[in-house]
Each structure stands twice: as C-alpha cells, then as structure tokens.
Amino acid sequence: MLNLVIIGSLILVAGALGFRSVELLPPETLLPVSNLSGLRWVTGGFAALILGLPTGVILQGAYRRLEQRLRQWPIEVILTRAVGLVLGLLLANLLLAPLFVLPIPAGLGWLKPLAAVVTSLSLSYVGVTAADTHGSALLRLVSPNTVQPMLLAEGTLRPAASKLLDSSVIIDGRIEAILATQFLEGQLIIPRFVLAELQTLSDSSNDQRRGRGRKGLELLNRLQQNYPQRLVIHSADFADLDTVDAKLVRLAQELNAMLLTNDYGLNQVASVQNVTVLNVNELAQAMRALYLPGDTLDLKILKEGKEPSQGVGYLDDGTMVVVEQGRAHIGDELPVVVTGALQTSAGRMIFARPKASLKT
C-alpha cells in the first residue's frame, strides 16, 4: 500500500507540474494553440508518465532500502544519530541567523537560501558523523548498560562464537569443569547426529564402549540441568555425508562456529578447512605449570627410571619427572631441583636432581 502511495504521489506531483508548466511558455508560442486546456492535459499526462512514474519507482526502492537498513540498526545507533542530526541543524540555525539580517543586494538574494541549504546539510552530516564516532561516550553518560550493544553495532566488540561439541569432548568430561570456571563463552551446540553416536555407543555390546557412551549422555544431562540457556540441540543433518566428522566440519562452517574436540584427526581436518578448533588436550597442556632450571619442587618418587639410578615421579597434572639419583628414594617425598625439560609427542618431561645431592 505504501508503495502505491509513494508512486501515486509522485505521479500526481509531476502531472500537476506538467499541467501548470504551460503557463511558463512564451505567449507567442501559445498563439497557434486553439485548445489551451487540452495542451495542459497533454503536458500533464506526459510529465506524469515520463517524469513522475520513474521517479516514484526510484524513490520507492530507495525508501525500501532505507527501511531495511533502519531495521538492522540497533536502537542505540538510531538514537545517537538522531541526536547528532538535531544538534547539527540547531548549530546551522545559530550560524545562519546573522546572515539573514545582513543587507544583501536584490540581485544576490538567492545566496541566502543557498547558504541555508548548504550549511544545514554540511552541519547535519558533521553531527551524524560525530554521533557515530563518540556516540558510545554519550550513551555511557546516559546509561552504562547500553554501551555494549553500541560497541557490538560499531564492530568494536564481537559476540562470542558458538561452540560445536563432538562426542570425544563430551565423553572426556573435562568440559564440565571448564564451563564451571566461566572461561568458555557462547552457546554450546550439540548436533543430533552426535547424540545418535553417543546412543549407539551406550547400546553397544562392548562394555568399554557402552560405558563411554553412557558417561557422555550423563554429562549432557548434567549440562542441560546446569546450563539450560546455553545448551542447544541442533537438528541439522547432512544425508550426503557419511561420517560424523565430515558432518561436524560442514555444520561448523554453516554456523560459523568453533569446533570443540579432543580428536587429533578431526582437529587437523577442520583446521585445513578453515574451521577454528578448540582442543581441550591442548588447553590442558598449555595450563601446565612451567618449571625452569633451578626451580625447586616437592616430589614423591614412585618407580624406577630407564637408566641406572633414575627415579620417576609425577606432578599433579600428570607431567612425568625423571630424577637422577632418585632410585634410592623410591617411595619417599623429597625436594628436587629442576635441571631441564623436554617436549615430546606424549607431553612434557622434566628432569631433576635431589636437592640434597647438589649441596654435596
């Protein structure tokens, strides 16, 4: 309906202008015309069709585009830009007030409306631009709670990406402790094909596989109870893909989500396809305490090492510590001094010596 109103209004305006434009023609041009009223209707009709209809269609399209853009703008952006526009127009009126009282020759009378239009447009643009640049500061003074949506709209902040969970990280169980620390943000998405995979494991005849599947389903039940607003079951499936890993990568690409997994192979495949991967094993490895040569720690020697006189102990995070001259202290807890470290494919290994042996 609004489209018809816009187009119809422009047709009527253009037709009226064409109808009245006959009066602007020189009198000698109208002398041969016998039916002046008919000429007015003809010029009015041509103006309506040639000028009014195309202009109405163009303005209607521009209005629709503006309407769609306004719907995408947050209310904070609209508010600050409206304030900037009003302030720009007020400043333009203040600056133009002295101009209108100045005496100007009659031949230059057109300068006043021209200056008014140019000044108003220029300062309106400046006001809107200033609102886009400093609008967040204004909103911070008015209402601190509106700053975050404003920064999100500007692109200064970005919303947290959703996390797509696979069966390995669910069965692992450490995701529950990570969520409890509140370090992991965003929605947690569980695809239905992952649930089906866990259900298949829980119904398996193999005791180990059945235990893993049930452990994963129990963890999901706890997550759904503790984080009902964050856990989302996604119904997407891809009939053209056979493996769960391929479906996970496709879904992560479509949702622009991060893939949360412990599967090394899936990690590599997803990374090749430009999917961001969060690996809990890598997180645990990165969070292990960093011991440098010369650091002292208390360690219980648990067993013999591969080399003569070596003893082996473990830190709380599972890091193996090889202690030279530690075989004689198996079963004892003693202070040791770190002498070096080695990063292997299986993890980090620390070498140390008993603190007492360094004093002798």
Side-chain angles (χ1 to χ4, degrees):
M1 184 62 184
L2 183 59
N3 296 339
L4 295 177
V5 171
I6 294 176
I7 296 175
S9 299
L10 266 295
I11 290 176
L12 290 177
V13 171
L17 291 176
F19 189 87
R20 299 299 299 272
S21 64
V22 176
E23 300 175 0
L24 301 177
L25 296 175
E28 58 273 12
T29 307
L30 300 176
L31 291 177
V33 178
S34 60
N35 189 350
L36 188 60
S37 177
L39 178 62
R40 288 194 179 97
W41 284 107
V42 170
T43 55
F46 272 102
L49 294 177
I50 297 175
L51 180 62
L53 182 60
T55 305
V57 173
I58 293 173
L59 288 181
Q60 180 268 337
Y63 170 77
R64 287 302 178 190
R65 289 191 295 271
L66 177 61
E67 183 183 26
Q68 292 178 357
R69 181 168 295 184
L70 287 176
R71 288 179 177 177
Q72 295 174 356
W73 286 350
I75 186 61
E76 293 82 5
V77 175
I78 297 176
L79 177 62
T80 54
R81 289 184 175 180
V83 172
L85 177 63
V86 171
L87 292 178
L89 291 175
L90 288 176
L91 183 59
N93 287 332
L94 291 176
L95 294 177
L96 290 171
L99 177 64
F100 284 107
V101 298
L102 292 176
I104 295 180
L108 300 177
W110 55 270
L111 287 176
K112 288 185 178 182
L114 178 62
V117 172
V118 172
T119 305
S120 298
L121 291 177
S122 301
L123 292 182
S124 297
Y125 176 78
V126 171
V128 173
T129 304
D132 285 341
T133 306
H134 305 289
S136 57
L138 175 63
L139 291 178
R140 188 181 295 112
L141 295 176
V142 177
S143 175
N145 295 329
T146 60
V147 176
Q148 184 177 1
M150 180 68 181
L151 295 178
L152 288 172
E154 293 175 351
T156 305
L157 296 181
R158 294 185 178 180
S162 299
K163 310 300 185 296
L164 188 63
L165 276 62
D166 78 334
S167 57
S168 67
V169 77
I170 296 173
I171 295 173
D172 177 84
R174 287 177 290 179
I175 183 65
E176 185 176 15
I178 297 175
L179 288 173
T181 62
Q182 300 183 4
F183 277 102
L184 194 63
E185 298 181 341
Q187 296 293 104
L188 304 178
I189 301 177
I190 315 295
R192 288 198 181 276
F193 53 81
V194 171
L195 285 178
E197 184 182 23
L198 292 174
Q199 184 64 46
T200 302
L201 288 175
S202 67
D203 295 337
S204 174
S205 58
N206 183 285
D207 292 341
Q208 185 177 4
R209 291 169 60 87
R210 183 169 61 250
R212 287 166 54 85
R214 292 180 177 179
K215 178 184 176 182
L217 292 176
E218 291 173 359
L219 174 69
L220 286 182
N221 286 329
R222 291 197 301 272
L223 293 181
Q224 200 163 30
Q225 293 176 2
N226 298 329
Y227 308 97
Q229 302 299 324
R230 297 187 60 184
L231 197 66
V232 177
I233 306 299
H234 202 287
S235 59
D237 199 355
F238 305 97
D240 58 321
L241 300 177
D242 298 328
T243 64
V244 173
D245 288 357
K247 294 180 180 181
L248 282 167
V249 173
R250 173 78 66 82
L251 184 58
Q253 291 173 333
E254 291 189 357
L255 299 179
N256 196 24
M258 295 181 177
L259 183 58
L260 196 59
T261 182
N262 281 340
D263 189 330
Y264 178 79
L266 177 58
N267 190 336
Q268 298 302 311
V269 171
S271 299
V272 169
Q273 300 185 58
N274 297 322
V275 174
T276 303
V277 180
L278 303 179
N279 194 309
V280 175
N281 289 332
E282 293 179 357
L283 175 63
Q285 186 73 22
M287 292 304 296
R288 290 182 176 181
L290 180 62
Y291 291 100
L292 301 176
D295 292 345
T296 303
L297 53 95
D298 294 329
L299 183 72
K300 184 174 183 178
I301 310 299
L302 299 177
K303 62 180 182 179
E304 298 178 355
K306 292 184 178 180
E307 301 296 332
S309 77
Q310 283 184 348
V312 176
Y314 295 91
L315 300 179
D316 293 338
D317 59 10
T319 302
M320 185 171 70
V321 182
V322 178
V323 182
E324 298 293 336
Q325 302 178 13
R327 178 172 296 187
H329 302 282
I330 293 178
D332 299 333
E333 184 172 347
L334 69 157
V336 298
V337 178
V338 177
T339 59
L342 177 65
Q343 185 69 41
T344 67
S345 59
R348 196 162 179 262
M349 183 184 300
I350 296 177
F351 297 94
R353 296 176 64 92
K355 188 175 182 179
S357 67
L358 297 177
K359 296 181 180 178
T360 57

PDB file of all heavy atoms in Angstrom, residues 97-134:
ATOM      1  N   ALA A  97      21.552  32.712  11.492  1.00  0.00           N
ATOM      2  CA  ALA A  97      20.748  33.835  11.982  1.00  0.00           C
ATOM      3  C   ALA A  97      21.366  35.183  11.631  1.00  0.00           C
ATOM      4  O   ALA A  97      20.667  36.080  11.138  1.00  0.00           O
ATOM      5  CB  ALA A  97      20.543  33.697  13.488  1.00  0.00           C
ATOM      6  N   PRO A  98      22.681  35.404  11.850  1.00  0.00           N
ATOM      7  CA  PRO A  98      23.254  36.705  11.457  1.00  0.00           C
ATOM      8  C   PRO A  98      23.203  36.938   9.955  1.00  0.00           C
ATOM      9  O   PRO A  98      23.096  38.080   9.501  1.00  0.00           O
ATOM     10  CB  PRO A  98      24.694  36.626  11.954  1.00  0.00           C
ATOM     11  CG  PRO A  98      24.690  35.554  12.986  1.00  0.00           C
ATOM     12  CD  PRO A  98      23.660  34.582  12.529  1.00  0.00           C
ATOM     13  N   LEU A  99      23.278  35.855   9.156  1.00  0.00           N
ATOM     14  CA  LEU A  99      23.291  36.025   7.701  1.00  0.00           C
ATOM     15  C   LEU A  99      21.982  36.610   7.184  1.00  0.00           C
ATOM     16  O   LEU A  99      21.979  37.439   6.261  1.00  0.00           O
ATOM     17  CB  LEU A  99      23.573  34.670   7.038  1.00  0.00           C
ATOM     18  CG  LEU A  99      23.552  34.638   5.509  1.00  0.00           C
ATOM     19  CD1 LEU A  99      24.663  35.513   4.936  1.00  0.00           C
ATOM     20  CD2 LEU A  99      23.687  33.208   4.996  1.00  0.00           C
ATOM     21  N   PHE A 100      20.861  36.217   7.771  1.00  0.00           N
ATOM     22  CA  PHE A 100      19.565  36.659   7.265  1.00  0.00           C
ATOM     23  C   PHE A 100      19.254  38.119   7.614  1.00  0.00           C
ATOM     24  O   PHE A 100      18.361  38.714   7.017  1.00  0.00           O
ATOM     25  CB  PHE A 100      18.460  35.750   7.809  1.00  0.00           C
ATOM     26  CG  PHE A 100      18.420  34.419   7.123  1.00  0.00           C
ATOM     27  CD1 PHE A 100      18.852  33.277   7.778  1.00  0.00           C
ATOM     28  CD2 PHE A 100      17.964  34.300   5.827  1.00  0.00           C
ATOM     29  CE1 PHE A 100      18.811  32.047   7.156  1.00  0.00           C
ATOM     30  CE2 PHE A 100      17.924  33.064   5.198  1.00  0.00           C
ATOM     31  CZ  PHE A 100      18.352  31.934   5.853  1.00  0.00           C
ATOM     32  N   VAL A 101      19.969  38.684   8.576  1.00  0.00           N
ATOM     33  CA  VAL A 101      19.728  40.090   8.921  1.00  0.00           C
ATOM     34  C   VAL A 101      20.688  41.020   8.194  1.00  0.00           C
ATOM     35  O   VAL A 101      20.547  42.245   8.274  1.00  0.00           O
ATOM     36  CB  VAL A 101      19.836  40.296  10.443  1.00  0.00           C
ATOM     37  CG1 VAL A 101      18.788  39.471  11.168  1.00  0.00           C
ATOM     38  CG2 VAL A 101      21.228  39.962  10.949  1.00  0.00           C
ATOM     39  N   LEU A 102      21.675  40.456   7.501  1.00  0.00           N
ATOM     40  CA  LEU A 102      22.607  41.299   6.765  1.00  0.00           C
ATOM     41  C   LEU A 102      21.945  41.828   5.491  1.00  0.00           C
ATOM     42  O   LEU A 102      21.201  41.105   4.816  1.00  0.00           O
ATOM     43  CB  LEU A 102      23.864  40.512   6.390  1.00  0.00           C
ATOM     44  CG  LEU A 102      24.781  40.105   7.556  1.00  0.00           C
ATOM     45  CD1 LEU A 102      25.936  39.249   7.023  1.00  0.00           C
ATOM     46  CD2 LEU A 102      25.322  41.332   8.269  1.00  0.00           C
ATOM     47  N   PRO A 103      22.204  43.090   5.134  1.00  0.00           N
ATOM     48  CA  PRO A 103      21.650  43.631   3.874  1.00  0.00           C
ATOM     49  C   PRO A 103      22.384  43.057   2.671  1.00  0.00           C
ATOM     50  O   PRO A 103      23.613  43.116   2.594  1.00  0.00           O
ATOM     51  CB  PRO A 103      21.895  45.145   4.004  1.00  0.00           C
ATOM     52  CG  PRO A 103      23.053  45.255   4.948  1.00  0.00           C
ATOM     53  CD  PRO A 103      22.961  44.108   5.904  1.00  0.00           C
ATOM     54  N   ILE A 104      21.642  42.467   1.757  1.00  0.00           N
ATOM     55  CA  ILE A 104      22.225  41.860   0.560  1.00  0.00           C
ATOM     56  C   ILE A 104      21.520  42.467  -0.652  1.00  0.00           C
ATOM     57  O   ILE A 104      20.293  42.635  -0.649  1.00  0.00           O
ATOM     58  CB  ILE A 104      22.051  40.331   0.577  1.00  0.00           C
ATOM     59  CG1 ILE A 104      22.850  39.732   1.738  1.00  0.00           C
ATOM     60  CG2 ILE A 104      22.504  39.698  -0.730  1.00  0.00           C
ATOM     61  CD1 ILE A 104      22.738  38.231   1.842  1.00  0.00           C
ATOM     62  N   PRO A 105      22.277  42.819  -1.691  1.00  0.00           N
ATOM     63  CA  PRO A 105      21.654  43.379  -2.889  1.00  0.00           C
ATOM     64  C   PRO A 105      20.572  42.447  -3.438  1.00  0.00           C
ATOM     65  O   PRO A 105      20.631  41.227  -3.291  1.00  0.00           O
ATOM     66  CB  PRO A 105      22.826  43.519  -3.867  1.00  0.00           C
ATOM     67  CG  PRO A 105      24.040  43.615  -2.980  1.00  0.00           C
ATOM     68  CD  PRO A 105      23.743  42.779  -1.782  1.00  0.00           C
ATOM     69  N   ALA A 106      19.598  43.052  -4.076  1.00  0.00           N
ATOM     70  CA  ALA A 106      18.459  42.281  -4.580  1.00  0.00           C
ATOM     71  C   ALA A 106      18.888  41.224  -5.582  1.00  0.00           C
ATOM     72  O   ALA A 106      18.302  40.132  -5.656  1.00  0.00           O
ATOM     73  CB  ALA A 106      17.436  43.219  -5.212  1.00  0.00           C
ATOM     74  N   GLY A 107      19.914  41.533  -6.376  1.00  0.00           N
ATOM     75  CA  GLY A 107      20.364  40.565  -7.370  1.00  0.00           C
ATOM     76  C   GLY A 107      21.029  39.338  -6.766  1.00  0.00           C
ATOM     77  O   GLY A 107      21.185  38.319  -7.437  1.00  0.00           O
ATOM     78  N   LEU A 108      21.461  39.446  -5.505  1.00  0.00           N
ATOM     79  CA  LEU A 108      22.126  38.316  -4.841  1.00  0.00           C
ATOM     80  C   LEU A 108      21.245  37.689  -3.771  1.00  0.00           C
ATOM     81  O   LEU A 108      21.733  37.020  -2.861  1.00  0.00           O
ATOM     82  CB  LEU A 108      23.449  38.783  -4.216  1.00  0.00           C
ATOM     83  CG  LEU A 108      24.487  39.357  -5.185  1.00  0.00           C
ATOM     84  CD1 LEU A 108      25.711  39.839  -4.423  1.00  0.00           C
ATOM     85  CD2 LEU A 108      24.888  38.302  -6.218  1.00  0.00           C
ATOM     86  N   GLY A 109      19.953  37.900  -3.869  1.00  0.00           N
ATOM     87  CA  GLY A 109      19.052  37.344  -2.863  1.00  0.00           C
ATOM     88  C   GLY A 109      19.047  35.826  -2.820  1.00  0.00           C
ATOM     89  O   GLY A 109      18.701  35.225  -1.796  1.00  0.00           O
ATOM     90  N   TRP A 110      19.437  35.191  -3.909  1.00  0.00           N
ATOM     91  CA  TRP A 110      19.461  33.733  -3.949  1.00  0.00           C
ATOM     92  C   TRP A 110      20.542  33.143  -3.058  1.00  0.00           C
ATOM     93  O   TRP A 110      20.548  31.936  -2.771  1.00  0.00           O
ATOM     94  CB  TRP A 110      19.656  33.253  -5.384  1.00  0.00           C
ATOM     95  CG  TRP A 110      20.881  33.850  -6.039  1.00  0.00           C
ATOM     96  CD1 TRP A 110      20.930  35.005  -6.744  1.00  0.00           C
ATOM     97  CD2 TRP A 110      22.207  33.319  -6.022  1.00  0.00           C
ATOM     98  NE1 TRP A 110      22.204  35.259  -7.200  1.00  0.00           N
ATOM     99  CE2 TRP A 110      23.018  34.205  -6.759  1.00  0.00           C
ATOM    100  CE3 TRP A 110      22.797  32.190  -5.474  1.00  0.00           C
ATOM    101  CZ2 TRP A 110      24.379  34.005  -6.942  1.00  0.00           C
ATOM    102  CZ3 TRP A 110      24.149  31.975  -5.669  1.00  0.00           C
ATOM    103  CH2 TRP A 110      24.927  32.876  -6.395  1.00  0.00           C
ATOM    104  N   LEU A 111      21.526  34.000  -2.614  1.00  0.00           N
ATOM    105  CA  LEU A 111      22.609  33.482  -1.784  1.00  0.00           C
ATOM    106  C   LEU A 111      22.101  33.000  -0.418  1.00  0.00           C
ATOM    107  O   LEU A 111      22.643  32.051   0.160  1.00  0.00           O
ATOM    108  CB  LEU A 111      23.690  34.550  -1.584  1.00  0.00           C
ATOM    109  CG  LEU A 111      24.573  34.850  -2.795  1.00  0.00           C
ATOM    110  CD1 LEU A 111      25.528  35.989  -2.473  1.00  0.00           C
ATOM    111  CD2 LEU A 111      25.360  33.590  -3.176  1.00  0.00           C
ATOM    112  N   LYS A 112      21.076  33.667   0.131  1.00  0.00           N
ATOM    113  CA  LYS A 112      20.590  33.293   1.461  1.00  0.00           C
ATOM    114  C   LYS A 112      20.016  31.874   1.489  1.00  0.00           C
ATOM    115  O   LYS A 112      20.441  31.056   2.319  1.00  0.00           O
ATOM    116  CB  LYS A 112      19.557  34.314   1.932  1.00  0.00           C
ATOM    117  CG  LYS A 112      20.148  35.658   2.297  1.00  0.00           C
ATOM    118  CD  LYS A 112      19.074  36.583   2.868  1.00  0.00           C
ATOM    119  CE  LYS A 112      19.680  37.916   3.283  1.00  0.00           C
ATOM    120  NZ  LYS A 112      18.657  38.818   3.882  1.00  0.00           N
ATOM    121  N   PRO A 113      19.071  31.525   0.605  1.00  0.00           N
ATOM    122  CA  PRO A 113      18.576  30.131   0.652  1.00  0.00           C
ATOM    123  C   PRO A 113      19.649  29.108   0.301  1.00  0.00           C
ATOM    124  O   PRO A 113      19.668  28.011   0.854  1.00  0.00           O
ATOM    125  CB  PRO A 113      17.432  30.120  -0.363  1.00  0.00           C
ATOM    126  CG  PRO A 113      17.653  31.323  -1.224  1.00  0.00           C
ATOM    127  CD  PRO A 113      18.330  32.343  -0.372  1.00  0.00           C
ATOM    128  N   LEU A 114      20.565  29.478  -0.619  1.00  0.00           N
ATOM    129  CA  LEU A 114      21.640  28.554  -0.959  1.00  0.00           C
ATOM    130  C   LEU A 114      22.548  28.302   0.245  1.00  0.00           C
ATOM    131  O   LEU A 114      22.905  27.155   0.545  1.00  0.00           O
ATOM    132  CB  LEU A 114      22.455  29.104  -2.138  1.00  0.00           C
ATOM    133  CG  LEU A 114      23.655  28.247  -2.566  1.00  0.00           C
ATOM    134  CD1 LEU A 114      23.187  26.880  -3.039  1.00  0.00           C
ATOM    135  CD2 LEU A 114      24.460  28.957  -3.658  1.00  0.00           C
ATOM    136  N   ALA A 115      22.897  29.390   0.956  1.00  0.00           N
ATOM    137  CA  ALA A 115      23.745  29.233   2.137  1.00  0.00           C
ATOM    138  C   ALA A 115      23.024  28.433   3.221  1.00  0.00           C
ATOM    139  O   ALA A 115      23.645  27.620   3.927  1.00  0.00           O
ATOM    140  CB  ALA A 115      24.144  30.608   2.672  1.00  0.00           C
ATOM    141  N   ALA A 116      21.715  28.639   3.343  1.00  0.00           N
ATOM    142  CA  ALA A 116      20.948  27.894   4.347  1.00  0.00           C
ATOM    143  C   ALA A 116      20.957  26.396   4.045  1.00  0.00           C
ATOM    144  O   ALA A 116      21.158  25.566   4.939  1.00  0.00           O
ATOM    145  CB  ALA A 116      19.516  28.424   4.409  1.00  0.00           C
ATOM    146  N   VAL A 117      20.745  26.034   2.773  1.00  0.00           N
ATOM    147  CA  VAL A 117      20.718  24.618   2.403  1.00  0.00           C
ATOM    148  C   VAL A 117      22.094  23.980   2.594  1.00  0.00           C
ATOM    149  O   VAL A 117      22.224  22.905   3.189  1.00  0.00           O
ATOM    150  CB  VAL A 117      20.235  24.461   0.945  1.00  0.00           C
ATOM    151  CG1 VAL A 117      20.399  23.020   0.480  1.00  0.00           C
ATOM    152  CG2 VAL A 117      18.791  24.892   0.815  1.00  0.00           C
ATOM    153  N   VAL A 118      23.138  24.641   2.089  1.00  0.00           N
ATOM    154  CA  VAL A 118      24.494  24.075   2.182  1.00  0.00           C
ATOM    155  C   VAL A 118      24.926  23.941   3.637  1.00  0.00           C
ATOM    156  O   VAL A 118      25.474  22.907   4.055  1.00  0.00           O
ATOM    157  CB  VAL A 118      25.489  24.943   1.385  1.00  0.00           C
ATOM    158  CG1 VAL A 118      26.925  24.484   1.632  1.00  0.00           C
ATOM    159  CG2 VAL A 118      25.165  24.892  -0.100  1.00  0.00           C
ATOM    160  N   THR A 119      24.702  24.981   4.437  1.00  0.00           N
ATOM    161  CA  THR A 119      25.112  24.935   5.844  1.00  0.00           C
ATOM    162  C   THR A 119      24.347  23.866   6.615  1.00  0.00           C
ATOM    163  O   THR A 119      24.919  23.122   7.415  1.00  0.00           O
ATOM    164  CB  THR A 119      24.898  26.305   6.500  1.00  0.00           C
ATOM    165  OG1 THR A 119      25.591  27.307   5.744  1.00  0.00           O
ATOM    166  CG2 THR A 119      25.413  26.306   7.931  1.00  0.00           C
ATOM    167  N   SER A 120      23.051  23.760   6.371  1.00  0.00           N
ATOM    168  CA  SER A 120      22.248  22.752   7.078  1.00  0.00           C
ATOM    169  C   SER A 120      22.697  21.341   6.720  1.00  0.00           C
ATOM    170  O   SER A 120      22.852  20.476   7.606  1.00  0.00           O
ATOM    171  CB  SER A 120      20.767  22.934   6.752  1.00  0.00           C
ATOM    172  OG  SER A 120      20.303  24.191   7.183  1.00  0.00           O
ATOM    173  N   LEU A 121      22.910  21.080   5.427  1.00  0.00           N
ATOM    174  CA  LEU A 121      23.359  19.746   5.014  1.00  0.00           C
ATOM    175  C   LEU A 121      24.730  19.423   5.579  1.00  0.00           C
ATOM    176  O   LEU A 121      24.980  18.304   6.053  1.00  0.00           O
ATOM    177  CB  LEU A 121      23.372  19.649   3.486  1.00  0.00           C
ATOM    178  CG  LEU A 121      22.008  19.649   2.792  1.00  0.00           C
ATOM    179  CD1 LEU A 121      22.183  19.632   1.272  1.00  0.00           C
ATOM    180  CD2 LEU A 121      21.177  18.452   3.234  1.00  0.00           C
ATOM    181  N   SER A 122      25.646  20.394   5.525  1.00  0.00           N
ATOM    182  CA  SER A 122      27.018  20.151   5.996  1.00  0.00           C
ATOM    183  C   SER A 122      27.048  19.857   7.493  1.00  0.00           C
ATOM    184  O   SER A 122      27.657  18.878   7.945  1.00  0.00           O
ATOM    185  CB  SER A 122      27.903  21.355   5.670  1.00  0.00           C
ATOM    186  OG  SER A 122      27.932  21.600   4.281  1.00  0.00           O
ATOM    187  N   LEU A 123      26.376  20.705   8.287  1.00  0.00           N
ATOM    188  CA  LEU A 123      26.413  20.508   9.734  1.00  0.00           C
ATOM    189  C   LEU A 123      25.591  19.299  10.163  1.00  0.00           C
ATOM    190  O   LEU A 123      25.895  18.675  11.186  1.00  0.00           O
ATOM    191  CB  LEU A 123      25.921  21.768  10.435  1.00  0.00           C
ATOM    192  CG  LEU A 123      26.864  22.977  10.301  1.00  0.00           C
ATOM    193  CD1 LEU A 123      26.329  24.179  11.059  1.00  0.00           C
ATOM    194  CD2 LEU A 123      28.263  22.637  10.806  1.00  0.00           C
ATOM    195  N   SER A 124      24.565  18.934   9.406  1.00  0.00           N
ATOM    196  CA  SER A 124      23.832  17.702   9.709  1.00  0.00           C
ATOM    197  C   SER A 124      24.730  16.489   9.529  1.00  0.00           C
ATOM    198  O   SER A 124      24.756  15.574  10.360  1.00  0.00           O
ATOM    199  CB  SER A 124      22.606  17.574   8.806  1.00  0.00           C
ATOM    200  OG  SER A 124      21.705  18.632   9.038  1.00  0.00           O
ATOM    201  N   TYR A 125      25.505  16.484   8.429  1.00  0.00           N
ATOM    202  CA  TYR A 125      26.442  15.387   8.197  1.00  0.00           C
ATOM    203  C   TYR A 125      27.506  15.329   9.287  1.00  0.00           C
ATOM    204  O   TYR A 125      27.856  14.250   9.780  1.00  0.00           O
ATOM    205  CB  TYR A 125      27.086  15.536   6.817  1.00  0.00           C
ATOM    206  CG  TYR A 125      28.140  14.498   6.521  1.00  0.00           C
ATOM    207  CD1 TYR A 125      27.773  13.206   6.145  1.00  0.00           C
ATOM    208  CD2 TYR A 125      29.493  14.803   6.634  1.00  0.00           C
ATOM    209  CE1 TYR A 125      28.734  12.247   5.881  1.00  0.00           C
ATOM    210  CE2 TYR A 125      30.464  13.843   6.374  1.00  0.00           C
ATOM    211  CZ  TYR A 125      30.086  12.571   5.999  1.00  0.00           C
ATOM    212  OH  TYR A 125      31.034  11.621   5.743  1.00  0.00           O
ATOM    213  N   VAL A 126      28.015  16.500   9.671  1.00  0.00           N
ATOM    214  CA  VAL A 126      29.016  16.544  10.745  1.00  0.00           C
ATOM    215  C   VAL A 126      28.432  16.008  12.052  1.00  0.00           C
ATOM    216  O   VAL A 126      29.082  15.269  12.792  1.00  0.00           O
ATOM    217  CB  VAL A 126      29.539  17.979  10.922  1.00  0.00           C
ATOM    218  CG1 VAL A 126      30.410  18.089  12.175  1.00  0.00           C
ATOM    219  CG2 VAL A 126      30.344  18.404   9.697  1.00  0.00           C
ATOM    220  N   GLY A 127      27.180  16.365  12.346  1.00  0.00           N
ATOM    221  CA  GLY A 127      26.551  15.894  13.577  1.00  0.00           C
ATOM    222  C   GLY A 127      26.362  14.391  13.595  1.00  0.00           C
ATOM    223  O   GLY A 127      26.635  13.733  14.603  1.00  0.00           O
ATOM    224  N   VAL A 128      25.917  13.811  12.474  1.00  0.00           N
ATOM    225  CA  VAL A 128      25.735  12.360  12.400  1.00  0.00           C
ATOM    226  C   VAL A 128      27.078  11.643  12.501  1.00  0.00           C
ATOM    227  O   VAL A 128      27.211  10.614  13.178  1.00  0.00           O
ATOM    228  CB  VAL A 128      25.003  11.980  11.105  1.00  0.00           C
ATOM    229  CG1 VAL A 128      24.964  10.469  10.926  1.00  0.00           C
ATOM    230  CG2 VAL A 128      23.595  12.542  11.114  1.00  0.00           C
ATOM    231  N   THR A 129      28.099  12.176  11.827  1.00  0.00           N
ATOM    232  CA  THR A 129      29.429  11.571  11.890  1.00  0.00           C
ATOM    233  C   THR A 129      29.988  11.613  13.306  1.00  0.00           C
ATOM    234  O   THR A 129      30.574  10.633  13.801  1.00  0.00           O
ATOM    235  CB  THR A 129      30.385  12.279  10.925  1.00  0.00           C
ATOM    236  OG1 THR A 129      29.834  12.253   9.608  1.00  0.00           O
ATOM    237  CG2 THR A 129      31.743  11.609  10.921  1.00  0.00           C
ATOM    238  N   ALA A 130      29.826  12.747  13.977  1.00  0.00           N
ATOM    239  CA  ALA A 130      30.292  12.861  15.361  1.00  0.00           C
ATOM    240  C   ALA A 130      29.546  11.896  16.280  1.00  0.00           C
ATOM    241  O   ALA A 130      30.121  11.321  17.206  1.00  0.00           O
ATOM    242  CB  ALA A 130      30.123  14.295  15.852  1.00  0.00           C
ATOM    243  N   ALA A 131      28.261  11.687  16.009  1.00  0.00           N
ATOM    244  CA  ALA A 131      27.485  10.733  16.814  1.00  0.00           C
ATOM    245  C   ALA A 131      27.984   9.317  16.611  1.00  0.00           C
ATOM    246  O   ALA A 131      28.059   8.532  17.565  1.00  0.00           O
ATOM    247  CB  ALA A 131      26.005  10.836  16.454  1.00  0.00           C
ATOM    248  N   ASP A 132      28.349   8.955  15.375  1.00  0.00           N
ATOM    249  CA  ASP A 132      28.898   7.622  15.131  1.00  0.00           C
ATOM    250  C   ASP A 132      30.228   7.432  15.841  1.00  0.00           C
ATOM    251  O   ASP A 132      30.554   6.346  16.318  1.00  0.00           O
ATOM    252  CB  ASP A 132      29.090   7.394  13.629  1.00  0.00           C
ATOM    253  CG  ASP A 132      27.765   7.152  12.922  1.00  0.00           C
ATOM    254  OD1 ASP A 132      26.792   6.816  13.620  1.00  0.00           O
ATOM    255  OD2 ASP A 132      27.709   7.305  11.695  1.00  0.00           O
ATOM    256  N   THR A 133      31.034   8.497  15.904  1.00  0.00           N
ATOM    257  CA  THR A 133      32.367   8.395  16.494  1.00  0.00           C
ATOM    258  C   THR A 133      32.319   8.408  18.008  1.00  0.00           C
ATOM    259  O   THR A 133      33.008   7.628  18.676  1.00  0.00           O
ATOM    260  CB  THR A 133      33.259   9.542  15.990  1.00  0.00           C
ATOM    261  OG1 THR A 133      33.256   9.546  14.552  1.00  0.00           O
ATOM    262  CG2 THR A 133      34.680   9.377  16.497  1.00  0.00           C
ATOM    263  N   HIS A 134      31.514   9.300  18.574  1.00  0.00           N
ATOM    264  CA  HIS A 134      31.512   9.497  20.026  1.00  0.00           C
ATOM    265  C   HIS A 134      30.171   9.137  20.665  1.00  0.00           C
ATOM    266  O   HIS A 134      29.909   9.530  21.798  1.00  0.00           O
ATOM    267  CB  HIS A 134      31.848  10.952  20.350  1.00  0.00           C
ATOM    268  CG  HIS A 134      33.140  11.424  19.756  1.00  0.00           C
ATOM    269  ND1 HIS A 134      34.363  10.986  20.210  1.00  0.00           N
ATOM    270  CD2 HIS A 134      33.395  12.273  18.720  1.00  0.00           C
ATOM    271  CE1 HIS A 134      35.333  11.575  19.498  1.00  0.00           C
ATOM    272  NE2 HIS A 134      34.765  12.346  18.581  1.00  0.00           N
TER     273      HIS A 134
END
